[in-house]
């Protein structure tokens, strides 16, 4: 079937191409009767404006760049789904870019997006260091950061407060008299580790204690599991916390191999879980992070920035809920 073009609409309506272009791009120059005639031709022929051509006419690409680290694919699926669903509502296209640790430079990816003439960039990148934050602030393009907390003239962020979540969980255990608490390093996400440790330290300090339970994984240990296999031979805890459910699973397996029953002898929790947690036995207690909403809200914030709507909150915090499962006692 032949694709209907703007030329077909102009011929059907008996007007110039320029007139059709003005109508479909929302110009107020074209008067009522002519506008209605063009719209009638559009409806009759079933014409769908080409998004790229329409974007050029408006000096917009109607395209958003989405940047996601390759290592985060296992837990960003729902974030991406929420973002795409809202993008469809507002007729935006998404260009997907990935960052590979040690190979891809964040600045170069942002610049590649800008060269692609995107209207804005949404970035899931919760490993930002200070120099990278400063780099983002220099770009004259709307940027929404998912996971981290920063803002600027052209930068907004949507995040969940992991520090507060771990603080509240740690406080609960301390009030139960359980102060042997450990947080295992996540080498794939040092930023999240810093937040988790900060939350635990804050909870311990509030009780007049010092948190010394951060477990750094030695360079020679290839995985959390290999490290924990040996470490748990001589160390015992009331609670161990991992950032990802895969780490929590490693804790459970290494504990079992060392005669530690979970949750009878030691409880285990994680911050972020995935679909794989439902397959695990025992299932890991975790925080319910609103992943879909992180994506959906971020895209909505982007549409507001592009429409130059006043945004009262440039830093938007979403709520979380701790969900006890089979690796904690309550």
């Amino acid at each position: 079937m032949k694709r209907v073009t703007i030329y077909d609409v102009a011929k059907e309506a008996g007007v110039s191409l320029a007139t059709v272009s003005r109508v479909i791009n929302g110009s107020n120059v074209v008067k009522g009767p002519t506008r209605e005639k063009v719209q009638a031709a559009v409806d009759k022929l079933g014409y769908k404006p080409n998004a790229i051509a329409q974007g050029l006419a408006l000096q917009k690409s109607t395209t958003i760049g989405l940047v996601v680290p390759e290592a985060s694919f296992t837990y960003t699926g729902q974030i991406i789904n929420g973002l795409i669903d809202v993008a469809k509502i507002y007729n935006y296209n998404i260009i997907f870019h990935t960052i590979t640790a040690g190979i891809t430079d964040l600045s170069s990816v942002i610049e590649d997006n800008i060269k692609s003439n995107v209207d804005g960039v949404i970035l899931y990148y919760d490993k930002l260091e200070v120099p990278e934050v400063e780099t983002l602030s220099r770009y004259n393009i709307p940027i929404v950061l998912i996971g981290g907390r920063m803002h600027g003239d052209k930068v907004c962020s949507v995040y969940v407060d992991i520090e507060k979540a771990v603080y509240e969980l740690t406080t609960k255990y301390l009030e139960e008299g359980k102060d042997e608490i450990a947080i295992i390093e996540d080498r794939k996400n040092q930023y999240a580790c810093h937040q988790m440790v900060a939350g635990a330290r804050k909870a311990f300090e509030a009780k007049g204690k010092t948190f010394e339970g951060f477990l750094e994984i030695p360079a020679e240990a290839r995985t959390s599991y290999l490290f924990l296999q040996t470490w748990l031979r001589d160390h015992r805890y009331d609670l161990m916390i991992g950032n990802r459910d895969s780490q929590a699973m490693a804790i459970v397996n290494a504990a079992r191999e060392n005669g530690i029953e979970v949750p009878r002898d030691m409880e285990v929790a994680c911050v972020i879980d995935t679909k794989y947690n439902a397959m695990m036995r025992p299932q890991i207690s975790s925080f319910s992070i609103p992943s879909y909403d992180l994506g959906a809200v971020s895209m909505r914030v982007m549409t507001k920035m592009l429409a130059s709507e006043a945004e009262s909150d440039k830093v938007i915090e979403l709520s979380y809920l701790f969900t006890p499962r089979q690796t904690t006692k309550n």
Side-chain angles (χ1 to χ4, degrees):
M1 183 178 178
K2 180 188 172 187
R3 178 183 174 85
V4 178
T5 69
I6 191 172
Y7 300 97
D8 299 319
V9 175
K11 183 177 179 180
E12 177 69 25
V15 299
S16 68
L17 292 176
T19 298
V20 176
S21 178
R22 291 189 184 103
V23 171
I24 64 176
N25 286 309
S27 171
N28 295 321
V29 174
V30 182
K31 302 300 181 183
T34 304
R35 178 183 295 278
E36 291 170 5
K37 188 163 37 173
V38 171
Q39 190 58 54
V42 168
D43 295 340
K44 178 181 176 181
L45 298 175
Y47 173 66
K48 302 293 184 186
N50 180 282
I52 296 175
Q54 190 176 25
L56 290 171
L58 294 169
Q59 293 187 328
K60 292 182 179 180
S61 66
T62 63
T63 300
I64 302 298
L66 171 62
V67 181
V68 177
E70 187 178 18
S72 69
F73 285 170
T74 55
Y75 51 89
T76 53
Q78 283 300 306
I79 292 175
I80 295 170
N81 287 343
L83 191 151
I84 290 175
D85 284 350
V86 174
K88 287 178 181 176
I89 294 171
Y90 291 93
N91 297 314
Y92 276 95
N93 303 300
I94 302 295
I95 294 180
F96 191 73
H97 294 261
T98 61
I99 298 174
T100 303
I103 298 175
T104 315
D105 178 66
L106 176 62
S107 298
S108 65
V109 172
I110 299 292
E111 287 169 9
D112 286 345
N113 272 271
I114 293 172
K115 290 174 185 175
S116 299
N117 198 34
V118 298
D119 294 331
V121 175
I122 296 178
L123 175 65
Y124 180 86
Y125 197 60
D126 47 8
K127 304 178 185 180
L128 287 177
E129 303 296 338
V130 172
E132 293 172 319
V133 170
E134 293 174 349
T135 297
L136 285 186
S137 301
R138 291 201 299 265
Y139 290 113
N140 188 30
I141 184 173
I143 294 176
V144 177
L145 175 65
I146 303 176
R149 182 175 181 174
M150 65 171 288
H151 64 88
D153 291 339
K154 291 280 187 176
V155 181
C156 289
S157 59
V158 181
Y159 78 109
V160 171
D161 194 336
I162 293 175
E163 179 180 331
K164 184 167 71 174
V166 173
Y167 166 80
E168 291 176 352
L169 181 63
T170 303
T171 299
K172 172 182 176 293
Y173 278 81
L174 289 174
E175 289 176 350
E176 293 173 355
K178 301 173 182 177
D179 59 4
E180 293 296 328
I181 297 173
I183 293 174
I184 187 165
E185 179 186 16
D186 183 355
R187 289 191 295 210
K188 292 183 178 180
N189 197 326
Q190 295 294 340
Y191 180 81
C193 275
H194 294 158
Q195 290 179 294
M196 292 167 66
V197 171
R201 281 179 178 156
K202 184 178 177 182
F204 269 73
E205 287 169 4
K207 300 295 182 182
K209 300 184 177 185
T210 302
F211 177 68
E212 298 176 343
F214 178 52
L215 305 181
E216 289 189 76
I217 301 175
E220 62 271 17
R222 291 180 55 247
T223 65
S224 303
Y225 171 69
L226 291 175
F227 164 67
L228 291 166
Q229 254 188 327
T230 303
W231 184 259
L232 289 178
R233 289 176 190 166
D234 305 310
H235 298 83
R236 295 292 185 269
Y237 300 96
D238 296 313
L239 171 69
M240 292 191 72
I241 308 172
N243 180 38
R244 294 169 285 116
D245 57 5
S246 57
Q247 284 190 303
M249 292 172 192
I251 295 170
V252 171
N253 290 335
R256 280 174 171 167
E257 292 173 12
N258 283 283
I260 304 169
E261 282 297 318
V262 175
R264 187 192 67 190
D265 303 326
M266 180 177 75
E267 298 180 67
V268 177
C270 67
V271 175
I272 298 171
D273 67 0
T274 66
K275 61 184 180 181
Y276 300 109
N277 193 11
M279 307 175 196
M280 176 69 178
R281 293 297 180 272
Q283 283 185 286
I284 310 297
S285 298
S286 71
F287 289 93
S288 295
I289 304 294
S291 300
Y292 182 92
D293 292 348
L294 280 170
V297 171
S298 297
M299 186 63 212
R300 183 64 183 109
V301 169
M302 176 60 73
T303 64
K304 289 184 176 182
M305 293 173 75
L306 292 170
S308 299
E309 294 181 23
E311 188 63 48
S312 57
D313 296 315
K314 292 221 165 188
V315 177
I316 300 174
E317 179 184 342
L318 301 188
S319 61
Y320 54 84
L321 179 68
F322 184 70
T323 305
R325 295 191 180 95
Q326 298 166 335
T327 58
T328 52
K329 295 176 182 176
N330 49 46

